[in-house]
Structures are given as C-alpha cells and as structure tokens.
Amino acid sequence: MSTPETQPAANFIRHIIAKDLAENKHQGRVATRFPPEPNGYLHIGHAKSICLNFGLALENQGTCNLRFDDTNPEKESIEYMESIERDVSWIGFTWHELRHASDYFEQLYDFAVDLIKQGKAYVDSSTPEQIREYRGTLTKPGIPSPDRERSIEENLDLFTRMRNGDFADGQYVLRAKIDMASSNMNMRDPTIYRIRRVHHHRTGDKWCIYPMYDYTHCISDALEAITHSICTLEFEDHRPLYDWVLDQIEVPCHPQQIEFARLQLEYTIVSKRKLNQLVTEKHVHGWDDPRMPTIAGLRRAGVTPAAIRDFCERIGVTKKDSWIEMAVLENSIREDLNEHSARVMAVLDPLRVVIENYPDDQVEQLEVGNHPQRPELGTRKIPFSKVLLIEQEDFAETPPPKYKRLTTGEEVRLRGAYVIRCNEVIKDADGKIIELRCSYDPDTLGKNPEGRKVKGVIHWVSETHSLPAEVRLYDRLFCRPNPDMEANFLDALNPNSLQILSQSRVEASLKDAPVESRYQFERMGYFCVDKDSSPDQLVFNRTVTLRDTWDS
Ligand code: ATP
Ligand code: MG
C-alpha cells in the first residue's frame, strides 16, 4: 500500500511545467485540454488523461478545455458526446471551454488553402494502395507521387472542387508536401484531407471532405492557445508533424506536445474499439455494465469519483509503458468506501433462524452505529425479533477447524444484538438445512456473557422486517491478466463475472436508498444501489469485496 499523499507527487510533466513557468515560456500561462474522440464511452485510461490535464491546470491556476476530436463522423455520435461530458463532470472537473474540432472546419480549410498557396500541399489522385506503396518502408525511402509537382493553380482548383463535391469519395486526397525520404514515416507527405460523404452529427452534410487527425489536432490546440498538449506515447513519432504544420501557418501560439505512457490495467481492456465489441456482441449489458472499465461502468458499480482520482494520482505519470495491477485500483476503491460508506446488514443467501426462547410478538429496536471509526455518522435502530435470517455460509453442521461462526451446540454473537446458541437443525426431505432452532442469552446485549468467551460475530436481519433484494455479485471481467495480449481477447473473458442472488434480504433502513448510494454490507463487501432498483425490488451491485478475512 502506498503512503497517503498530501502533496501531489512530482512527475516529469509537473517538472516541465514548473520550469516553463519559471522561464515565463508561455507568458506564464498553463492551458491544457482533454481531447477525446466521441466514438465510445470514456474508460479508466481516459481518467488518467483527464486527471492529468485538468489537474495540471488546477494546480497552476490555468485552464483546461474539453475538446471533442470529431473528425471521423462515421464512428461518432451525440450519445457518446453526452456521455463524455457527463463522465468528465462526474470525475469532478469543470472545463474552461467546451470545443469541437468541427468548430474549426472552416479555419482548417483556410489553412489548407494557405499551405497549397505556399506550395506545401498538393492534391493527389493516387489510390490508397499506391500511396502505401510509394511511401516506402523504414529501410527504403519513399518515392514521389506523380501528382507531387502539380501546379499551385491546379491544386487550388482541385481542392476547391473536392470541397464542392465534384469528386467521388476517395478519388483525391490533399497531402502535405514534406519529405518522401524522411526517416520518420509520418513526414512522408501525410494525407491531411480526404473526401468522405458522411453525415456529421454537428455539421450535418455541409462538408464532404474531412481533415485528418494529425493535421486537425495541432491546429485545434493552437487556436485554443493551449500551452502544453499532453498525449500518449504513440504520438511521439507524430510530434515532428505537429510542429511542422504549426510552423507553416499563422497561429496564435505554438503549443508544446508532451507524451506520457498510457494506462494499461491488468484483468481488463482499455481500448474503445474492444469495449465497443464487448457491448455490440453482448458479452456485457451495455457500456455502463458494472464489469466494464468505463467511467459509466465504474460509477454504476459504486466506485466513487474520489477513488478514481486517488488511483490516477497513485499510478503516477511516466514515459515508460507498464502494467498496473487491478489490486491498485481496488485498493483505492476500498479505502474510499471504507471511510465514507455507512454500514448496514444484508443477508445475501438467507437461512432461517428461530429464537425459541424469544417472545413470539416481541420486537426490540436495537441501536447500532453506522460506522465503527466514525461516531459522527450516527446510529440507527434495527428490529430484532423471534425469526431472523443469517447467511447460509455462516452455519456449518460439521465445522472445519477454528470455525468461528455458528455450529450446532455452540454460540455466536449476532452483530449489535445477542449471543445465540444453535440447538437443532431442521432439514427438508432432501436433507437440505432449512432452519435452525436457537436460543438467545438475554443478558448479552452490549456485554460479554458471564464466564465464557464467544469469538464469532455474524450479521443477520429480522425476517419480517427485512426487505427483499436482488444482489448482483460482479467479479473481474477477464480471468487472465493481459487479455489484450491474447490472440483473441474474448478467450480471456471470465465466465463467472456475474452471479445474481435473487433471494437476498436487506435491513429495513435501506427502504428508500437512492440509486447510486453506497454501503458496506457488514462482512460481505461494498454495495451500491443499481438504477434497476425499485421500491418493490431493491437491486444492489457489489462494487468490491472486503479484504480477504472472515471476521470484520
Ligand atoms: P482508445 O484506443 O481507447 O480509442 P484513444 O487514445 O483513441 O483511446 P481518444 O478518445 O483519442 O482515445 O483519447 C482521448 C485522450 O485520452 C487522448 O489524449 C489519449 O491519449 C488519452 N487516453 C486514451 N487512452 C488512454 C490510456 N489508456 N491511458 C492514458 N491516456 C489515455
Ligand atoms: Mg483515438
């Protein structure tokens, strides 16, 4: 377990920014952005980038924009945009401005015309196959396209007509004219515009040409006067292109691109494409399935925004790829829930207990604390009556050694209530245990019994006072640590990632528990009210188990 941090830990990006501020590099400004493509829901990997970009802005009295990088209309949608806004806000950040790359389509077009006029871009009629072939390889320089020396006039005319819709999809592309022999493949005349007749969720059918990512991204950053453009390592090789584009045109500032290692988390997947596949092929019940590493899934599982921020701070920021253990995320989740969630009692798999020496119609309201370490969270009353329910697994007819729960002839304490002894086991015709006949010691409420030690404590609810609930026990979605590295990641899916218990009973205080409220079910784990919950049928999701101990 890492030590609690009061100060944000140093990392190389914080160093760069501190140095830039000291040198007054960007007029003392810090402006970052989080630039998702709205082609899926955000996942825990994005959370790392969100915490980094928004966090750096906050720490330095700077600004952070949320920018939709929406240049691929065929895969993008309003639903995804809305989910991204919701998730960023939920994680706890407020953007300075909400922008879209599509806000800049007109300017991007003008800059492209400008490049053509400078002789730095040309319209190419080569097919994608030819472009690939002419580009060469890492060991072989590229060769120029026959269209590379087309005149500026002709390029301007063709590009205008590309925009006007005079050509078929794919008939021409606009390419930057850089260096076909560059050792960096990204510099071998990259395509910057393509013809694509697709409806765009924001610009409708206004455009039939769309700018490419590398061209769009740097200009969008510059137009927003971003100072530090933070991205993941795979863009390191694209940085020369980022800088080249901005060096050719008149823009308000030249942001500096800084790359960091993306989050790779064991036992899950952080690729929108594969997460999309899990959803569309119905391996999970939607993007917000509690097993998904999406922000929406984590939220539905009961994870708090604070736990996500804590996790992102703990894993740090480096330039080296590495895998983070799932336990690191689970520990952040547990620590936060342990501190903040109220304790309640719920019996997931009930077994009936009849207290034979308890008066038939008596009900006592026993006062129990809501949090063992935080008395300020108060107490509540829970009803104790003649017929109770305990967990099936808390009784064993033939107990293993050192068993500290209930067994025939022995005593156990009911949490917050009395010590009971099991006198008799009732079974059905098949030999299944259906009821325990017990007796209670009335002199054990809030105090130890005289002259004997009772070690075990188990949880319980009153049969008539408790409420029915469905409890969904979620587990890791994959049963092997690196599903991404398997030939087919679906082979690593955990077949037991969801177990539904429909006979559970929870204490009556949960009657009006709102959706997303979080609890520790004593001895059973952390649970959260699901959106499927209704007053007649409460539904709880298991967020995470407690540590591996029987006794709490
Ligand atoms: P995916 O492969 O899941 O689609 P992406 O990088 O294509 O991821 P974007 O929507 O382009 O997704 O990402 C928005 C921002 O989030 C980018 O700056 C990207 O670098 C960052 N990001 C995405 N995945 C991770 C990750 N696993 N760790 C850290 N940052 C990430
Ligand atoms: Mg992407």
Side-chain angles (χ1 to χ4, degrees):
M1 180 111 317
S2 53
T3 50
E5 279 150 351
T6 43
Q7 288 282 70
N11 68 46
F12 80 98
I13 302 184
R14 281 184 173 130
H15 278 305
I16 293 175
I17 290 185
K19 185 161 172 284
D20 290 348
L21 284 173
E23 293 170 358
N24 205 29
K25 184 161 170 190
H26 303 275
Q27 305 89 44
R29 285 187 312 119
V30 173
T32 58
R33 84 287 171 266
F34 171 64
E37 182 180 355
N39 61 350
Y41 280 59
L42 298 180
H43 52 62
I44 185 73
H46 292 112
K48 178 175 179 179
S49 174
I50 290 169
C51 291
L52 184 59
N53 280 293
F54 283 93
L56 288 167
L58 275 174
E59 282 161 41
N60 295 290
Q61 292 79 49
T63 57
C64 181
N65 286 351
L66 172 60
R67 183 199 316 139
F68 289 110
D69 173 16
D70 55 351
T71 55
N72 256 321
E74 52 270 73
K75 292 193 185 143
E76 299 164 3
S77 76
I78 303 271
E79 179 201 342
Y80 293 144
M81 291 210 300
E82 289 173 351
S83 75
I84 290 168
E85 288 180 48
R86 196 163 54 233
D87 290 347
V88 172
S89 302
W90 180 78
I91 292 177
F93 296 107
T94 309
W95 46 87
H96 173 59
E97 288 179 321
L98 180 66
R99 299 290 190 104
H100 306 79
S102 57
D103 296 338
Y104 312 127
F105 279 172
E106 202 64 57
Q107 281 154 293
L108 289 161
Y109 178 84
D110 291 342
F111 284 125
V113 169
D114 191 33
L115 286 180
I116 295 173
K117 286 182 179 161
Q118 297 181 53
K120 288 172 182 160
Y122 60 97
V123 173
D124 194 347
S125 63
S126 307
T127 63
E129 296 72 41
Q130 286 167 328
I131 290 182
R132 208 171 310 125
E133 191 191 322
Y134 292 162
R135 179 166 291 145
T137 63
L138 282 174
T139 50
K140 198 173 97 198
I143 50 171
S145 153
D147 289 351
R148 198 172 198 263
E149 298 310 323
R150 202 192 285 284
S151 73
I152 290 175
E153 290 66 34
E154 207 183 332
N155 281 321
L156 282 174
D157 174 60
L158 285 171
F159 191 52
T160 312
R161 289 167 61 198
M162 277 171 67
R163 175 182 183 162
N164 291 345
D166 291 353
F167 306 121
D169 285 13
Q171 197 178 337
Y172 289 103
V173 292
L174 183 71
R175 299 177 70 176
K177 193 171 179 178
I178 311 180
D179 179 4
M180 286 308 288
S182 172
S183 57
N184 183 334
M185 300 290 284
N186 295 306
M187 300 299 273
R188 295 187 187 173
D189 292 11
T191 296
I192 58 175
Y193 265 92
R194 69 216 158 109
I195 306 175
R196 207 87 181 75
R197 280 178 181 74
V198 249
H199 186 82
H200 188 284
H201 51 277
R202 294 190 76 247
T203 58
D205 297 313
K206 178 167 183 208
W207 295 88
C208 64
I209 54 171
Y210 289 101
M212 302 297 284
Y213 175 85
D214 280 329
Y215 174 73
T216 308
H217 198 80
C218 54
I219 298 179
S220 306
D221 280 347
L223 293 175
E224 290 173 26
I226 300 303
T227 55
H228 300 84
S229 174
I230 299 166
C231 61
T232 42
L233 278 183
E234 69 274 22
F235 289 100
E236 197 160 20
D237 283 352
H238 297 236
R239 188 171 0 120
L241 177 55
Y242 185 105
D243 290 330
W244 182 90
V245 172
L246 295 185
D247 284 341
Q248 314 311 314
I249 58 179
E250 268 315 303
V251 278
C253 85
H254 190 133
Q256 85 194 83
Q257 177 177 311
I258 304 170
E259 308 85 14
F260 71 100
R262 60 171 48 229
L263 169 66
Q264 304 183 102
L265 186 60
E266 288 185 347
Y267 291 94
T268 191
I269 291 274
V270 281
S271 144
K272 273 186 280 184
R273 186 178 58 76
K274 288 180 182 163
L275 294 175
N276 198 341
Q277 190 181 342
L278 290 174
V279 173
T280 48
E281 294 179 5
K282 302 204 183 331
H283 300 288
V284 294
H285 307 302
W287 285 98
D288 69 347
D289 186 301
R291 290 165 292 183
M292 291 280 273
T294 52
I295 303 306
L298 292 164
R299 176 178 182 173
R300 190 168 172 194
V303 174
T304 61
I308 292 178
R309 295 193 304 263
D310 176 68
F311 168 72
C312 291
E313 185 57 38
R314 278 186 201 199
I315 56 177
V317 180
T318 65
K319 271 239 174 231
K320 215 174 98 222
D321 277 319
S322 67
W323 286 87
I324 303 292
E325 287 174 34
M326 188 51 117
V328 178
L329 175 59
E330 289 173 349
N331 279 336
S332 289
I333 296 170
R334 267 193 205 105
E335 278 186 23
D336 187 58
L337 292 175
N338 177 42
E339 186 174 345
H340 296 104
S341 48
R343 274 53 175 168
V344 294
M345 291 203 278
V347 174
L348 305 191
D349 187 13
L351 174 61
R352 207 157 181 259
V353 167
V354 178
I355 314 284
E356 293 179 299
N357 60 338
Y358 197 82
D360 283 358
D361 300 322
Q362 184 170 312
V363 178
E364 282 175 89
Q365 297 292 338
L366 305 180
E367 187 167 7
V368 296
N370 290 331
H371 196 295
Q373 287 90 43
R374 299 182 59 196
E376 74 276 15
L377 294 184
T379 61
R380 67 191 187 288
K381 296 239 163 83
I382 48 174
F384 186 88
S385 65
K386 189 179 180 77
V387 183
L388 308 174
L389 302 170
I390 66 165
E391 214 67 66
Q392 296 261 5
E393 63 179 25
D394 283 337
F395 177 78
E397 219 175 358
T398 26
K402 298 199 182 152
Y403 192 68
K404 285 205 243 153
R405 292 171 272 167
L406 190 59
T407 172
T408 325
E410 297 296 328
E411 286 185 312
V412 80
R413 174 173 290 282
L414 297 177
R415 162 82 83 220
Y418 300 95
V419 168
I420 60 166
R421 176 189 305 275
C422 176
N423 302 320
E424 192 187 347
V425 179
I426 311 291
K427 298 181 181 171
D428 65 9
D430 302 326
K432 182 178 184 292
I433 300 172
I434 50 169
E435 190 176 296
L436 303 177
R437 299 277 162 86
C438 300
S439 53
Y440 85 118
D441 179 345
D443 202 26
T444 53
L445 186 61
K447 59 178 180 188
N448 288 325
E450 301 280 319
R452 58 197 203 277
K453 262 214 160 94
V454 176
K455 287 213 193 89
V457 182
I458 63 173
H459 60 276
W460 56 278
V461 293
S462 161
E463 184 180 59
T464 47
H465 301 90
S466 62
L467 307 169
E470 174 180 309
V471 174
R472 301 174 180 171
L473 300 179
Y474 291 103
D475 206 346
R476 293 177 182 181
L477 185 54
F478 292 93
C479 49
R480 291 198 289 273
N482 307 110
D484 241 339
M485 279 140 83
E486 310 254 340
N488 179 357
F489 75 104
L490 297 174
D491 293 343
L493 277 171
N494 175 4
N496 303 314
S497 58
L498 171 58
Q499 188 192 353
I500 298 180
L501 302 175
S502 52
Q503 304 298 321
S504 304
R505 306 284 300 192
V506 301
E507 63 171 66
S509 71
L510 291 173
K511 183 165 177 290
D512 298 313
V515 172
E516 288 192 4
S517 53
R518 308 176 183 94
Y519 305 89
Q520 184 192 97
F521 286 1
E522 296 230 26
R523 302 177 61 242
M524 302 310 282
Y526 295 98
F527 292 79
C528 164
V529 180
D530 190 72
K531 66 179 185 186
D532 291 344
S533 203
S534 71
D536 317 324
Q537 178 69 333
L538 293 165
V539 179
F540 291 89
N541 299 325
R542 182 170 68 196
T543 316
V544 68
T545 53
L546 297 172
R547 260 159 263 269
D548 291 330
T549 59
W550 281 116
D551 296 299
S552 48

